[in-house]
Amino acid sequence: MDDYRRIADVVAAQIATGRLRPGDRLPPQRQFARRHGIAASTAARVYSELIRRGLAIGEVGRGTFVRASAPASEPALAEPARARVDLELNFSVPPEQSAILAAGLSGMLRADVLASALNPVGVAGTSALREAAAALLSRAGWTPDPSHLLLSGNGRQAIAAAIAALVPAGERLGVEELTYPVVKGIATRLGVTLVPLAMDDSGVIPDAVRSARPLRAVYLQPTLHNPLGTTMPEQRRADIAAVLHELGIYAIEDGIYAFLRDDVPPLAALAPDRVVAVDSLSKRVAPGLTVGFAVAPEAIGNRVASAMRSGGWTAPRFAIEAATRWLADGAVTRLQEIKRHDAAERQRIARERLADFGVQADPSAYHCWWRLPEPWRADTFVAAAARRGIAVTPGAAFTIVPSRAPNAVRLALAAPPTDVLAAALDTLAALARHMPEDTEVE
């Protein structure tokens, strides 16, 4: 057995027997190396192995710590949290939503209409939905060409199809250094290597894209970035568009939250021949009956369509017909407006309850990014919040390199009733004001 694995087994046994307790800081790697009579490079491999096994977590500038809780058996954000208050999944269900949607579905219960809605359909869907969706996705002077629209089962499937079409197995996809966790799972299944791209307050840094070459494509969230909640300014979008043309690569633009803030043009408006714009009805309407959209440049439209078909990611006809009716009767427009006001109110609550802390958020977003106060660490805070019945997402869920996990958590504000949300945020604020060791005994 390799020396580093044998030593990792020793540390793992110390954790299992309680000699090393959850939250304990492991010694600096050079000190660990001297203590065990090994090279510093071997100590680094030991620590990487402990992180890989889920026994430790590394935090930039702070060191390596024994995990406060076992890693989740499911990917982050994959299923509803089991905690009483879910601040992980970010789906809004306003009280009036079902009534608004029911009217459009009632006509589908006629036998002749239902028979048509249960027939198969291709990736192009129907012309009626393409026309309506093009109008829905329009913002800041940009309107997609309906003939370039492809329809998937949801936004995740549209992202998967775009990645599969643009990045062959074994090749490299650039992503923001904090990114949507589901993309990590998609890349793993497709055999694609993710390359983290450095960011600043305006989003991805153009020179980071240049220096990461070779890349086949990049995946970006320019509007209401998840988890940071930031929106890329127009000049940075123009700079990124120029880099795409300079390097001859494509971008996959995830606009899933853009309906909450439609005052800036998408990246697709600045580089229409270099951007696959992805969106869906999941956030606007509901995840249980949705349709995903991919607006692909004409030159690669067939590639994206082929990937969508071969992946089994096409939208069912029933969802297409339901979406068409909701768009025609104004249901989607009404829900968008309700959710914009709802998101703004929830951000107001978060600003009030967490005013004393380093919380970053756009006033239009349904989530916020909380850089935790010392001496709290993200995994310890997540575990302490869970003991109080509140599920939050650690910053590590959004990182590409586990050893560079930020000391932060994302709070999804959309799901709980507003009074429950306010009480949960009060609980988290009180928790953060105490020392971690003061919270271990309930």
Side-chain angles (χ1 to χ4, degrees):
M1 179 183 292
D2 293 335
D3 284 347
Y4 79 93
R5 289 188 181 138
R6 176 179 54 77
I7 298 171
D9 287 342
V10 172
V11 179
Q14 292 172 343
I15 294 171
T17 59
R19 287 184 60 193
L20 287 173
R21 301 177 63 247
D24 282 353
R25 186 180 187 275
L26 297 180
Q29 291 180 15
R30 290 189 179 278
Q31 181 180 332
F32 184 90
R34 288 194 299 270
R35 182 180 300 172
H36 290 270
I38 57 177
S41 59
T42 303
R45 297 183 75 183
V46 171
Y47 280 32
S48 295
E49 176 68 10
L50 292 170
I51 291 170
R52 187 192 69 79
R53 297 184 193 183
L55 299 175
I57 184 167
E59 296 178 6
V60 179
R62 305 186 75 241
T64 304
F65 298 82
V66 178
R67 285 189 67 101
S69 59
S73 58
E74 293 290 335
L77 313 182
E79 299 291 343
R82 296 177 181 175
R84 294 188 298 275
V85 182
D86 185 359
L87 301 185
E88 279 194 296
L89 285 190
N90 217 14
F91 292 107
S92 169
V93 184
E96 59 269 59
Q97 177 166 295
S98 296
I100 291 173
L101 298 177
L105 290 179
S106 60
M108 294 184 66
L109 299 182
R110 279 176 33 197
D112 58 330
V113 176
L114 187 59
S116 174
L118 296 179
N119 285 331
V121 69
V123 294
T126 64
S127 59
L129 182 53
R130 289 199 309 275
E131 293 286 343
L136 176 73
L137 300 179
S138 300
R139 65 181 188 273
W142 173 76
T143 300
D145 185 338
S147 68
H148 293 175
L149 262 169
L150 301 169
L151 307 180
S152 63
N154 55 43
R156 296 177 180 186
Q157 293 178 353
I159 293 169
I163 294 175
L166 296 175
V167 189
E171 297 287 346
R172 292 154 55 91
L173 172 69
V175 297
E176 292 136 325
E177 59 187 347
L178 296 173
T179 193
Y180 178 35
V182 169
V183 170
K184 296 193 289 185
I186 292 171
T188 298
R189 293 183 184 92
L190 295 177
V192 169
T193 299
L194 295 183
V195 180
L197 304 174
M199 303 173 70
D200 60 18
D201 291 342
S202 294
V204 161
I205 300 170
D207 280 343
V209 181
R210 293 187 180 96
S211 63
R213 290 177 292 180
L215 298 174
R216 283 301 190 102
V218 294
Y219 165 84
L220 304 173
Q221 306 168 84
T223 304
L224 298 182
H225 178 276
N226 178 23
L228 298 179
T230 53
T231 292
M232 185 182 290
E234 290 191 47
Q235 183 56 55
R236 177 59 59 85
R237 293 174 191 239
D239 294 341
I240 294 295
V243 170
L244 297 178
H245 284 110
E246 173 190 331
L247 301 182
I249 62 175
Y250 290 94
I252 302 164
E253 178 180 14
D254 187 344
I256 192 70
Y257 287 110
F259 77 96
L260 293 170
R261 184 175 171 182
D262 58 1
D263 58 326
V264 288
L267 188 60
L270 304 175
D273 58 335
R274 284 288 155 190
V275 177
V276 179
V278 172
D279 208 324
S280 83
L281 294 182
S282 296
K283 305 295 186 184
R284 288 177 169 89
V285 183
L289 186 58
T290 187
V291 175
F293 308 110
V295 183
E298 186 173 7
I300 60 168
N302 287 337
R303 285 161 59 185
V304 178
S306 177
M308 203 172 281
R309 284 191 292 266
S310 63
W313 296 317
T314 55
R317 181 67 175 261
F318 187 90
I320 287 175
E321 294 297 336
T324 304
R325 288 168 178 264
W326 287 332
L327 287 165
D329 69 10
V332 176
T333 300
R334 291 171 63 193
L335 286 174
Q336 284 188 155
E337 191 61 27
I338 290 169
K339 293 184 180 186
R340 285 171 184 150
H341 287 293
D342 182 54
E345 171 62 13
R346 290 167 183 269
Q347 283 292 348
R348 183 193 65 77
I349 293 171
R351 284 194 303 272
E352 288 182 354
R353 264 50 186 198
L354 303 176
D356 297 339
F357 301 99
V359 175
Q360 173 181 316
D362 186 293
S364 303
Y366 260 131
H367 56 275
C368 57
W369 182 246
W370 186 358
R371 292 180 175 85
L372 295 169
E374 294 288 350
W376 279 103
R377 295 182 299 102
D379 65 323
T380 309
F381 189 83
V382 169
R387 290 196 296 271
R388 287 154 179 80
I390 304 170
V392 301
T393 308
F398 302 94
T399 59
I400 306 305
V401 182
S403 62
R404 297 189 63 81
N407 190 42
V409 295
R410 191 200 73 166
L411 306 180
L413 308 176
T418 53
D419 59 333
V420 175
L421 173 64
L425 295 178
D426 284 341
T427 298
L428 295 180
L431 182 64
R433 291 188 182 100
H434 287 83
M435 298 291 286
E437 56 267 25
D438 293 339
T439 69
E440 291 184 2
V441 180
E442 297 299 315

